[in-house]
Amino acid sequence: MPLSNYFNIKRFSLLLQQDLLINRTKYLLGILGLGVITYLFTYWLLNQAKGSMIQNEYSVNQTYMLCFMFYMMIVGVVIGTAFPDLTDKIKTANYLLTPASTFEKFLAQFLLRMGLFIPIALGIFWIAIRLAKASLIPGDSGLDPSLIPYFEFRLLITGVNRMWDTWLIVFMIFGIFSYGCYLFSGATYFKRYALIKSVIFSAVVLGSSILFMMFLSNIFYSQTKFFDIQLQPIKVTENLDSFKIAVLGLALFSWIFFLAIAYFKLKEKEA
């Protein structure tokens, strides 16, 4: 089968142009709203924690990490609402009849929601949180907020005077990316309320996994209480044991599985 049946650069560019022309106002207002909400939220959070951030260097990293994690939840909402036309039967029919291949439709949404939006979102976060820090005032405590360092992304992977281990940094980056791909695939798997269903499903899977580990711990380790989990990891390298390798492997490779699901579920809808 000719490659052009799957991907044609001219056809793909027209698909992207069509999406941007139709949704440009929504995208621009969404980016503006994201910036304003991020500024207000981070200002409130930094203002609440400014005393401990001035007095404790470790609190600086903790607070900035907390801001970032909440922000990535909002970014996940945008990613999880990909393929918005699939939530309505009429829109779905029109979308599936768009003159473009399944791969091109899949790739267009992936580029818009992850390849393009995530770098923009990271830039918005960097600007908003630095503006929020610059807006802090001493308040009743009299502590000088200028003593708080401005946010830099390196603070997310830095403890007190030392960087995280390499495996932790890789796990964080790919873990966030894999979870984004999971939400992205949920937009094609579930018909309506895809984001809510994806989050509920992930919570059910996580809870079931924890219960299963508790069950095994109580069977094989008699000293374990019912709600405890007993793990016996095997040391593989100086810095890695079997548990760390398992979670690292899950973060490194699970995104491939989720993207494959998204593509084939979209292809199934066109069949």
Side-chain angles (χ1 to χ4, degrees):
M1 188 176 290
L3 179 61
S4 60
N5 288 350
Y6 292 97
F7 183 79
N8 180 278
I9 187 64
K10 183 177 181 180
R11 192 172 58 210
F12 178 68
S13 62
L14 289 173
L15 180 64
L16 278 178
Q17 289 175 26
Q18 179 187 13
D19 189 286
L20 292 173
L21 285 172
I22 293 174
N23 300 303
R24 59 185 176 184
T25 302
K26 182 174 69 175
Y27 290 158
L28 290 174
L29 290 176
I31 290 173
L32 180 62
L34 181 64
V36 173
I37 292 172
T38 303
Y39 168 78
L40 294 175
F41 176 76
T42 53
Y43 175 80
W44 174 79
L45 202 56
L46 294 178
N47 192 52
Q48 295 296 315
K50 64 184 178 184
S52 61
M53 291 177 73
I54 293 170
Q55 298 172 351
N56 188 347
E57 182 182 354
Y58 182 70
S59 182
V60 174
N61 302 68
Q62 275 190 322
T63 305
Y64 281 147
M65 175 61 80
L66 184 62
C67 292
F68 183 72
M69 294 308 295
F70 274 113
Y71 181 74
M72 292 310 294
M73 291 180 187
I74 300 174
V75 172
V77 171
V78 177
I79 297 172
T81 52
F83 302 99
D85 293 331
L86 298 181
T87 58
D88 180 84
K89 287 185 178 180
I90 297 176
K91 289 183 178 179
T92 298
N94 292 331
Y95 178 71
L96 296 179
L97 290 174
T98 302
S101 68
T102 304
F103 178 74
E104 288 165 347
K105 294 172 186 175
F106 164 83
L107 184 60
Q109 285 294 306
F110 180 81
L111 287 178
L112 287 172
R113 302 279 171 164
M114 300 191 73
L116 183 61
F117 174 69
I118 288 182
I120 292 174
L122 292 176
I124 290 173
F125 180 77
W126 186 84
I127 294 171
I129 198 169
R130 288 173 70 89
L131 286 175
K133 187 270 171 188
S135 304
L136 293 175
I137 56 176
D140 297 335
S141 64
L143 296 173
D144 186 6
S146 64
L147 298 175
I148 301 174
Y150 277 96
F151 171 80
E152 296 292 348
F153 281 107
R154 62 178 176 81
L155 293 177
L156 299 176
I157 54 174
T158 306
V160 180
N161 299 322
R162 69 181 294 271
M163 296 285 287
W164 287 2
D165 293 336
T166 303
W167 81 270
L168 267 175
I169 298 173
V170 175
F171 171 74
M172 177 183 174
I173 294 172
F174 278 91
I176 292 174
F177 179 68
S178 292
Y179 192 66
C181 291
Y182 166 74
L183 296 176
F184 182 79
S185 66
T188 62
Y189 191 86
F190 300 107
K191 292 182 179 180
R192 301 189 65 185
Y193 310 110
L195 177 63
I196 297 174
K197 290 178 181 178
S198 297
V199 173
I200 292 174
F201 181 75
S202 60
V204 169
V205 170
L206 179 61
S208 300
S209 301
I210 293 174
L211 289 174
F212 182 65
M213 287 189 290
M214 288 168 51
F215 175 71
L216 293 180
S217 297
N218 280 269
I219 290 178
F220 293 105
Y221 301 98
S222 57
Q223 74 276 14
T224 305
K225 296 181 180 179
F226 182 74
F227 292 105
D228 290 338
I229 295 176
Q230 183 72 31
L231 295 174
Q232 293 293 337
I234 301 171
K235 195 171 184 61
V236 179
T237 67
E238 183 179 350
N239 298 315
L240 291 175
D241 57 35
S242 55
F243 177 75
K244 292 177 181 177
I245 289 177
V247 296
L248 183 59
L250 187 64
L252 282 172
F253 302 111
S254 60
W255 62 270
I256 302 174
F257 172 73
F258 295 135
L259 290 183
I261 286 180
Y263 173 75
F264 286 110
K265 287 301 294 184
L266 183 61
K267 191 173 183 65
E268 180 182 298
K269 293 178 185 293
E270 292 190 332

